[in-house]
Structures are given as C-alpha cells and as structure tokens.
C-alpha cells in the first residue's frame, strides 16, 4: 500500500512541477535573475507549497502515528554545522547554474531536454561524491 501511495504522491508532485513551470530551467533562471528579466511567478508556486506543507504538518502532528507506518521518522540532527551550510551553498549554486533542483530535474528527464540529460547524470555523480566524502570525514564529538 505504501508503494501505491508513494507512486500517487510522486505522480501528483511531478504533474504539479510540470504545470507550474518548475521543470523549465529558463523559467527558474528568470526567477533567480532579480536584476534582469525577473519572473516572479515561481514565488506563487513556492508560496502554495509552503502553505500546503504548513497545513499538512499541522494535520499530521495531530495523529499518534502516520497512516502507513508505526511511527514518525524524524531527523535526529538539529544543529547547523559546516556540512549543512556547505551542502546548502552547493545546492544553491547548482540550482542557479543549471536551473534545476532534483525534483524538477527528474520530472523533466522524460522530456529529454539537452540540459536535463547533462544535469541528472552530473547530479547523481555529485550525490555519489558527497556520500563518498561523508563516509570518510571524521565525526566530531
């Protein structure tokens, strides 16, 4: 059942990304270009996502447990460290250069846009490199 709901959630998410224009790197780059051809329409997409998540979390936290799991699976880390800041900076730089973040990149992949066909393999290589460096980095007490 989790697989079915996961598939349906992904289908709704991907459809929303396509309809909103988030899978179009030109639209995303125009949103980021506040000094040039700025396109503020994606702010409404983000606002809708924040509002939806806000309401969804409020409803979820009223439950003792999730519908399809025994317990909520929450991250244990609560601190802001160099890895988090560095990763966020690299994510933002990649988003600004490529015009994609991971969700819309996967959504745009079947469209076979040349930028997507380069971005997704590079993103996967970056994920692999990040995992490799994370396993080799000593942990701080």
């Amino acid at each position: 059942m989790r697989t079915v709901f996961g598939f349906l959630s992904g289908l709704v998410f991907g459809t929303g990304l396509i309809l909103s224009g988030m899978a179009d790197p030109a639209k995303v780059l125009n949103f980021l270009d506040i000094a040039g051809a700025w396109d503020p329409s994606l702010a409404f997409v983000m606002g809708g996502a924040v509002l939806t998540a806000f309401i969804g979390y409020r409803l979820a936290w009223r439950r003792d447990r999730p519908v399809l799991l025994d317990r909520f699976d929450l991250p244990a880390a609560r601190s802001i460290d160099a890895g988090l800041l560095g990763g966020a900076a690299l994510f933002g730089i990649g988003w600004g250069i490529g015009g994609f973040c991971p969700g819309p990149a996967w959504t745009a992949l079947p469209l076979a846009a040349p930028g997507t066909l380069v971005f997704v393999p590079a993103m996967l290589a970056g994920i692999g490199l990040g995992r490799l460096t994370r396993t080799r980095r000593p942990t701080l007490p």
Side-chain angles (χ1 to χ4, degrees), residues 72-118:
F72 288 104
D73 189 15
L74 301 172
R78 300 251 181 221
S79 62
I80 298 174
D81 60 3
L84 177 65
L85 294 176
L90 285 174
F91 179 90
I93 291 168
W95 190 42
I97 290 172
F100 284 117
C101 65
W106 283 108
T107 302
L109 192 59
L111 304 175
T116 312
L117 297 177
V118 172

Side-chain angles (χ1 to χ4, degrees), residues 133-141:
T133 59
R134 189 165 184 83
T135 58
R136 293 185 179 183
R137 186 175 54 203
T139 57
L140 300 175

Side-chain angles (χ1 to χ4, degrees), residues 23-96:
D24 179 7
K27 189 168 186 76
V28 173
L29 292 173
N30 284 341
F31 172 72
L32 296 173
D33 186 13
I34 56 176
W38 187 54
D39 179 2
S41 62
L42 292 184
F44 294 104
V45 175
M46 286 189 262
V50 167
L51 180 63
T52 302
F54 179 81
I55 293 169
Y57 271 101
R58 293 301 172 267
L59 293 173
W61 292 134
R62 290 182 180 177
R63 302 183 60 86
D64 293 331
R65 66 180 195 84
V67 175
L68 300 175
L69 294 173
D70 293 330
R71 62 181 176 81
F72 288 104
D73 189 15
L74 301 172
R78 300 251 181 221
S79 62
I80 298 174
D81 60 3
L84 177 65
L85 294 176
L90 285 174
F91 179 90
I93 291 168
W95 190 42

